[in-house]
Amino acid sequence: MKTPLHFTLQEVVQRSGLSEHTLRYYERIGLLDRVKRDNSSGHRRYTAEDVRNIETLACLRTTGMSIEDMRTYFALLKDGKAAADQQLELFEAQRKALEQELAQKQEHLRYLEHKVAFWKAVQCGDDAKAQEIGEIATGLARQLIKENKTYSGKENS
């Protein structure tokens, strides 16, 4: 199948998963180059290169990368191999941030698993087990609250 020369806004939305609003915003703030417009209708017409860049942005966005880091990525991309060290640093930092987020989510899941076990014990009338699980859940809750304060900068331990 041959790649079309130009894509409409709706086609790009469908391919990338980004909304029209987001695409226009990225263009407005300069994250995307100005998109060419159809001479007769004035509608945006995206090139295959535009679409590749937008798909990359969509993927970077799903990793939680900031707009500023995405901007840095594209600026460094123009330097090719000469910017490899900086690109590596950028992606390693994002990977580390995701690993930390994943670890935090694992702790949240662990807390919820204990809450489920607690309420199952309550439902079955096993007061001793509910008491034991409740104490563990309370300890986990305290830990989560402490970590949340640390991550949000409200507490410096």
Side-chain angles (χ1 to χ4, degrees):
M1 184 165 85
K2 192 174 178 182
T3 303
L5 293 176
H6 295 95
F7 298 85
T8 66
L9 181 59
Q10 291 76 25
E11 289 171 327
V12 175
V13 164
Q14 187 176 15
R15 288 178 68 117
S16 69
L18 297 175
S19 69
E20 289 183 23
H21 173 78
T22 299
L23 290 169
R24 289 184 183 117
Y25 174 69
Y26 284 176
E27 185 179 347
R28 190 171 58 250
I29 65 170
L31 195 52
L32 288 173
D33 291 334
R34 283 265 174 226
V35 177
K36 291 181 176 83
R37 296 191 176 254
D38 184 271
N39 290 337
S40 61
S41 68
H43 294 140
R44 286 174 170 81
R45 294 293 179 246
Y46 295 87
T47 65
E49 182 180 355
D50 292 332
V51 172
R52 280 191 301 277
N53 288 340
I54 290 165
E55 288 171 340
T56 298
L57 284 170
C59 290
L60 295 175
R61 181 179 177 198
T62 63
T63 71
M65 185 176 279
S66 70
I67 287 175
E68 207 45 53
D69 283 349
M70 288 189 278
R71 193 184 310 274
T72 299
Y73 167 73
F74 278 103
L76 292 172
L77 200 56
K78 294 172 183 155
D79 294 336
K81 187 177 180 178
D85 288 345
Q86 293 163 290
Q87 293 283 34
L88 190 57
E89 184 179 308
L90 182 72
F91 284 102
E92 285 177 340
Q94 190 61 33
R95 181 181 66 192
K96 183 178 179 183
L98 273 176
E99 287 171 347
Q100 289 173 339
E101 184 181 330
L102 182 59
Q104 188 178 26
K105 294 291 183 195
Q106 289 291 93
E107 288 301 308
H108 294 166
L109 182 60
R110 190 167 154 233
Y111 171 75
L112 290 174
E113 287 169 346
H114 279 82
K115 293 302 281 185
V116 167
F118 171 82
W119 286 106
K120 283 184 178 181
V122 168
Q123 190 179 44
C124 293
D126 190 343
D127 294 339
K129 185 143 185 111
Q131 175 73 27
E132 177 186 337
I133 295 169
E135 289 172 11
I136 294 170
T138 298
L140 288 171
R142 287 186 184 125
Q143 183 65 30
L144 289 173
I145 291 166
K146 181 180 178 185
E147 288 172 6
N148 188 46
K149 286 180 180 178
T150 301
Y151 289 133
S152 64
K154 294 177 184 171
E155 177 179 294
N156 295 322
S157 300

